[in-house]
Amino acid sequence: MKHKTMIWILSAGVFLILAGLAVYGMGVYKFLPVPRPDLAVAGMALIGSILALAGACLLLDSRMKTKEMEIEEKDERNVMIQTAALAYAFICMYAALFLVVFALVFTGYMNVVSCFSIMGVLILGAGAYFLKFWDLQKKM
């Protein structure tokens, strides 16, 4: 990943943390048009923390690499292993998300909008997989 992208991720995370704290500190969150405005502030801070942590880790990781490590990382065998591991993780995540949505719908913890939104994301992911699979089969 490029150095500028890592800095943008880190900056976005810090901005979200500060924005969440500012909204909470000024008490503006009480006027947000959402059912639980206190969760909106916590969500902003959580997403900001995750982005800031990810950006900092990526930035530190890129600065600690030696030439040998970069060559090893770009080795074809390692790239194939990483691609296979990512594909397996995607399949596991996809199945787990489907089961969780199924469980939440039938236990009554999920509303209609959330259900259709997540199902749309699942369908989009499956469609992207099949389109890329079809495209790669044609090329190779």
Side-chain angles (χ1 to χ4, degrees):
M1 208 181 285
K2 301 253 187 229
H3 186 71
K4 287 183 180 180
T5 307
M6 295 175 210
I7 291 175
W8 273 104
I9 292 172
L10 180 62
S11 302
V14 170
F15 175 76
L16 279 175
I17 292 170
L18 293 176
L21 291 175
V23 167
Y24 182 75
M26 292 187 290
V28 180
Y29 73 95
K30 296 174 186 172
F31 304 111
L32 293 175
V34 294
R36 295 277 312 269
D38 55 329
L39 291 180
V41 174
M44 280 177 68
L46 179 66
I47 291 170
S49 300
I50 291 170
L51 280 175
L53 184 64
C57 288
L58 288 171
L59 203 57
L60 289 174
D61 185 48
S62 69
R63 292 186 183 249
M64 299 173 94
K65 286 184 182 174
T66 62
K67 277 287 191 201
E68 284 181 3
M69 293 170 83
E70 288 182 20
I71 291 171
E72 182 75 20
E73 187 177 284
K74 293 178 184 177
D75 183 36
E76 287 183 34
R77 181 177 174 273
N78 289 337
V79 170
M80 287 179 57
I81 290 171
Q82 183 180 13
T83 304
L86 285 171
Y88 183 74
F90 172 76
I91 291 170
C92 290
M93 181 187 65
Y94 204 76
L97 185 59
F98 177 76
L99 291 173
V100 166
V101 168
F102 184 76
L104 289 173
V105 165
F106 286 105
T107 55
Y109 286 107
M110 185 172 287
N111 62 15
V112 175
V113 174
S114 302
C115 179
F116 283 123
S117 298
I118 294 173
M119 289 305 208
V121 169
L122 287 169
I123 291 169
L124 180 73
Y129 166 75
F130 286 118
L131 282 174
K132 192 63 177 177
F133 183 78
W134 176 72
D135 184 46
L136 288 173
Q137 246 183 353
K138 277 179 48 178
K139 287 181 182 177
M140 296 183 174

